[in-house]
Amino acid sequence: MKNIITISREFGSGGHFIGERIAEELHIPFYDRAVIFQVAQKTGLAETYIAEHGEYAPKGGLFSYSFVGRDLQGSSVDDYIYQAQQTILRELAQRESCVVIGRCADYILRDRKDVLNVFIYGEQASKCRRIMDLYQKTEKEALALMKETDKKRRLHYSYHTEQKWGMPANYALCLNSSLLGYSQCVSFIRQAFSH
């Protein structure tokens, strides 16, 4: 029996929405912004800073991790945030069933047998339309935002896990939300969760 669902997602694929729906239907907690709040409490850092650095690589890319301010042990503030997220996610998984969005949760909880790891992706055109609608962006702006956000997620994941973000081997389910629709994605995840 699974107790935890982690959802990694391409920007614009609706992964956040799908995760919320699953949590509502299963009557279990949903963690995305709530993790940011808990990390902020644990570290004393601003929530806006954690929101930007807890799931995304620095703007300069992977190379920038080498130049972020480091202490005498070689740790940066980003490393500190990641360690706090690890602790919080492991405590949540130990305490209760839940749905967790992003934050390398699939990797952090990889040793647990009760975790269902899901990756949600989609077709560029449908993701672009969703971003345009949600964020009032032009098509050009939406495409640029999608590319930049996914790049930062991919680099962040690679840096902290030494794994490839979105690689099917890291997940029990990889679902194309453009092809399946959100309701069908929810249905597939619920079925896998209950087995």
Side-chain angles (χ1 to χ4, degrees), residues 111-129:
D111 294 329
R112 296 183 63 98
K113 302 294 184 206
D114 61 346
V115 177
L116 176 69
N117 295 319
V118 179
F119 188 81
I120 306 291
Y121 64 102
E123 308 299 330
Q124 180 171 293
S126 62
K127 291 188 299 180
C128 184
R129 280 194 303 274

Side-chain angles (χ1 to χ4, degrees), residues 18 22 116 118 173 175 185-193:
I18 289 166
I22 293 164
L116 176 69
V118 179
L173 290 175
L175 303 172
C185 287
V186 169
S187 178
F188 280 138
I189 295 168
R190 287 196 60 175
Q191 287 177 48
F193 185 69

Side-chain angles (χ1 to χ4, degrees), residues 7 11 21 103 106 116 125 149 157 174:
I7 297 182
F11 188 62
R21 284 267 304 274
R103 313 202 183 286
D106 62 293
L116 176 69
T149 302
Y157 187 88
C174 293

